[in-house]
Amino acid sequence: MDQNTNSKLITSFLPNGTGVPIIKLLKQETGICTGNVSNSRGTGSSAGASDFDNWVEVDVLDVVVDAERADEVFNFIYEKAGIGEGKHGFIVQSTLMQSTRFSLPD
């Protein structure tokens, strides 16, 4: 276990049920296995969107990566999740002050 101060956090809000397939693709195609998927509920800012009827379930995908690979992984998720195709999610990237890398022994 070592501490890394040169990491990025990529957070994606994706349609419900799409987070786990993206995690699998990340592992298969990029070797990245530092992701987590959780479920959340949210709504947009349109008129009447505060009504519970308009809330939607989303997958929240968080991935911690070394800064050198951040743009590559960001673009990978953006493309594979179809975020640029409209109403298929939202993605942000931020710098982490510190992260701890955990690994299992061989």
Side-chain angles (χ1 to χ4, degrees):
M1 179 170 40
D2 62 359
Q3 291 190 340
N4 185 0
T5 57
N6 194 24
S7 297
K8 301 282 186 175
L9 172 64
I10 300 169
T11 301
S12 309
F13 299 88
L14 305 171
N16 193 26
T18 60
V20 171
I22 298 295
I23 286 281
K24 290 178 180 179
L25 287 173
L26 272 170
K27 172 95 166 98
Q28 293 169 353
E29 297 184 26
T30 69
I32 300 290
C33 57
T34 56
N36 183 62
V37 176
S38 59
N39 190 266
S40 190
R41 182 172 60 156
T43 186
S45 60
S46 62
S50 62
D51 297 336
F52 287 110
D53 292 350
N54 295 324
W55 290 41
V56 295
E57 296 287 325
V58 297
D59 284 352
V60 180
L61 168 62
D62 291 310
V63 182
V64 176
V65 295
D66 291 332
E68 303 82 42
R69 294 196 69 190
D71 288 341
E72 168 200 352
V73 174
F74 184 97
N75 291 332
F76 181 88
I77 295 170
Y78 182 88
E79 288 180 24
K80 296 296 182 178
I83 291 173
E85 298 169 16
K87 296 192 178 183
H88 288 106
F90 181 77
I91 186 169
V92 295
Q93 177 177 296
S94 58
T95 300
L96 291 175
M97 295 296 288
Q98 187 174 21
S99 66
T100 301
R101 183 174 291 134
F102 293 93
S103 61
L104 297 173
D106 291 331

